Amino acid sequence: MGKSLLAFFEQLADSPWSVDLHESQYAYSIIESIHVWTMAVFFGSVVMFDLRLLGWTMRGVPVSEVIRRLQPLTIAAFVIMVITGTLLFFAIPLRSYQNIFFRSKMLLLLLAGLNVWFFHSRVYPRVATSNVDGAPPSRARVAGALSLALWVGIIFSGRMIAYNWFDCDRQPQSALINFLTSCDPTEAGR
Amino acid sequence: MSLLPFFQWCYQTAIGEAIRDSTWLFPLIEAFHLLGLGLTVGTVLIVDLRLLGLGLVKQPLAQLSSDAQPWLLGGLTLMFASGIPLFLSEAEKCYYSFPFWVKMTSLALVLLFTFTVRRRVTRTGLPPGRPPLGRLTALISLGLWFGVAWGGRWIGFS
């Protein structure tokens, strides 16, 4: 499975679209800028919501109201981030796939997604009925704190993808790093 | 009078040098800068959307703005605390960077605007029947912040 994914991304990296995007003078920079700017809007709205869940701001505003009014913006920003993020991956597929920070970002994204699912299915139904004024129940606060921590981790990982400290073509790396990045140190560039 | 000697002095400070000598310090500080960016944008948006008649429209403007205020100051503090060391480490490059000057000009204008006109509009609330004032305030604020974000991102590409 690991091998076939590697082969797939290798093939993708050689596709003309990927090469064009990678070598473009402006397209890549513009897509990356949109990704970062949208991240600010997305993270900004998530932070405000999480801080509300923690009871640290807008205590007078019901949680249900914050969700209803902010969610469209949050979702729109998330969609743009996924589209631009996919394009950025598409431009540099093989290296990104093997990048340790890309991998930790995807893992944290998965966890953040689970947290959203858990919040909406288990926590929110309770919060919604008892949410006017004051500190939310501890479950809601845990969900808020977890969300904040995960998104901070995602932003840190995302920023570090650009750096090649643990890239496969920079051997020797420790066996652990080569395992985590699926690098084969005997093959240069893999 | 040229500012170049000042920028050169900044470049040679111990902090600037320490960041240049380290492989991971610059990216690490930059990640904190991004967190500050998100926090700042979030607190600005909550209030500016309200001024545009979007978002948390049921809440009184003055209340929303005073709720957001400490987090806005926190976000700005984080931006400055991380942005200044980043600047010190590449001050000479910044001096010759057009996006850097766009960013600094927009930043000066938006801070001035935020703590004078925008503060006044949000504190006194909007007089009934005069929403254009609120919309204009929000558009100026968001436009200037975008200038900051545009410049910030493009310093890295130049």
Side-chain angles (χ1 to χ4, degrees):
Chain A
M1 152 99 167
K3 273 276 181 235
S4 62
L5 267 180
L6 203 66
F8 173 70
F9 289 128
E10 207 164 36
Q11 211 174 357
L12 196 62
D14 289 334
S15 71
W17 277 47
S18 174
V19 174
D20 280 354
L21 204 53
H22 184 75
E23 291 176 351
S24 67
Q25 196 180 355
Y26 294 114
Y28 188 84
S29 311
I30 291 170
I31 295 168
E32 199 181 30
S33 302
I34 295 172
H35 194 65
V36 176
W37 294 328
T38 318
M39 180 281 283
V41 172
F42 173 81
F43 182 66
S45 64
V46 167
V47 165
M48 293 315 282
F49 179 66
D50 288 341
L51 290 176
R52 174 62 190 93
L53 278 185
L54 286 161
W56 291 351
T57 190
M58 302 187 285
R59 279 201 176 199
V61 189
V63 170
S64 57
E65 179 74 4
V66 182
I67 289 197
R68 204 156 58 93
R69 303 288 181 176
L70 284 190
Q71 211 172 38
L73 180 74
T74 316
I75 292 175
F78 188 74
V79 169
I80 296 174
M81 275 205 299
V82 170
I83 294 171
T84 50
T86 307
L87 287 171
L88 292 175
F89 177 84
F90 186 64
I92 314 178
L94 186 62
R95 184 195 168 254
S96 304
Y97 167 65
Q98 291 191 297
N99 185 282
I100 197 164
F101 299 111
F102 177 80
R103 291 180 169 202
S104 74
K105 182 178 181 178
M106 291 305 115
L107 183 67
L108 291 170
L109 262 175
L110 189 71
L111 295 175
L114 285 175
N115 187 48
V116 170
W117 169 79
F118 186 77
F119 175 79
H120 279 279
S121 67
R122 300 291 156 83
V123 182
Y124 183 60
R126 288 190 180 189
V127 183
T129 51
S130 62
N131 61 5
V132 186
D133 288 336
S138 60
R139 280 181 141 201
R141 273 182 280 159
V142 170
L146 211 55
S147 161
L148 268 183
L150 287 167
W151 286 109
V152 167
I154 289 164
I155 290 175
F156 270 71
S157 305
R159 173 61 281 201
M160 301 302 166
I161 294 172
Y163 295 88
N164 66 348
W165 308 318
F166 302 114
D167 275 12
C168 292
D169 54 2
R170 289 187 51 145
Q171 300 293 341
Q173 300 279 3
S174 71
L176 178 66
I177 294 291
N178 279 329
F179 171 73
L180 292 175
T181 53
S182 343
C183 292
D184 182 350
T186 57
E187 274 183 79
R190 274 237 190 144
Chain B
M1 194 192 77
S2 167
L3 281 169
L4 187 57
F6 171 69
F7 278 63
Q8 283 166 339
W9 176 83
C10 288
Y11 185 77
Q12 278 150 13
T13 53
I15 297 176
E17 204 170 319
I19 295 170
R20 278 195 301 280
D21 286 346
S22 160
T23 37
W24 50 268
L25 217 45
F26 191 91
L28 188 71
I29 301 172
E30 217 179 6
F32 278 103
H33 200 59
L34 284 176
L35 292 184
L37 169 74
L39 183 55
T40 306
V41 168
T43 54
V44 165
L45 264 182
I46 286 269
V47 175
D48 281 350
L49 284 178
R50 174 70 181 74
L51 284 169
L52 288 169
L54 302 163
L56 296 162
V57 285
K58 284 188 189 165
Q59 268 52 53
L61 184 57
Q63 179 63 45
L64 207 54
S65 124
S66 78
D67 281 347
Q69 183 79 356
W71 297 99
L72 171 64
L73 295 177
L76 288 175
T77 306
L78 188 53
M79 295 291 273
F80 275 98
S82 53
I84 291 168
L86 290 176
F87 163 73
L88 292 176
S89 78
E90 50 175 28
E92 283 185 3
K93 170 190 163 183
C94 289
Y95 181 82
Y96 295 105
S97 159
F98 173 68
F100 173 79
W101 291 105
V102 172
K103 179 174 183 178
M104 288 307 121
T105 310
S106 312
L107 183 63
L109 290 174
V110 80
L111 289 179
L112 191 70
F113 183 76
T114 301
F115 292 105
T116 55
V117 178
R118 185 170 174 272
R119 168 178 281 192
R120 196 157 168 178
V121 170
T122 51
R123 275 195 180 167
T124 52
L126 292 171
R130 283 193 60 196
L133 176 70
R135 273 191 217 130
L136 189 64
T137 307
L139 290 177
I140 292 173
S141 162
L142 292 174
L144 287 172
W145 277 117
F146 185 72
V148 176
W150 180 86
R153 176 61 276 214
W154 285 77
I155 292 170
F157 291 140
S158 54

